[in-house]
Amino acid sequence: MNPRVLSVQPTTDFQLLIHFTDQERKVFDVKPYLYVGVFRALQDITLFNQVKPFNGTVVWPNNLDIDPDTLYLDGEPAN
């Protein structure tokens, strides 16, 4: 099992700055998801910015989430 999300901060470019339980910080780019199925709702920047950590992953008010392993494995190290 990979580390889980401790905190998340949205950016203005549809990316997430994520702090994980192993103290690593990564940037996850959500842009590739914005044109796929239920993730289209996140094109609304107001909704996108409402992201929060919950149960080790990230969630939005419409119960949309992204697998925490995807966030960790596909995220790029943050500077």
Side-chain angles (χ1 to χ4, degrees):
M1 183 167 93
N2 290 306
R4 296 304 186 224
V5 174
L6 284 176
S7 66
V8 60
Q9 179 181 353
T11 73
T12 57
D13 193 25
F14 292 99
Q15 294 181 330
L16 302 173
L17 176 59
I18 303 170
H19 182 202
F20 289 92
T21 54
D22 67 352
Q23 301 309 313
E24 194 161 353
R25 294 180 189 275
K26 294 192 176 194
V27 175
F28 184 82
D29 189 1
V30 182
K31 287 188 293 294
Y33 293 78
L34 296 178
Y35 303 96
V36 180
V38 296
F39 291 101
R40 290 180 184 164
L42 296 179
Q43 292 177 21
D44 176 353
I45 194 70
T46 302
L47 177 62
F48 180 81
N49 286 336
Q50 294 179 50
V51 66
K52 64 181 180 180
F54 181 74
N55 280 347
T57 193
V58 299
V59 297
W60 285 270
N62 60 352
N63 292 322
L64 192 59
D65 65 3
I66 298 177
D67 181 75
D69 290 330
T70 299
L71 296 170
Y72 190 81
L73 295 173
D74 294 345
E76 297 292 327
N79 295 332

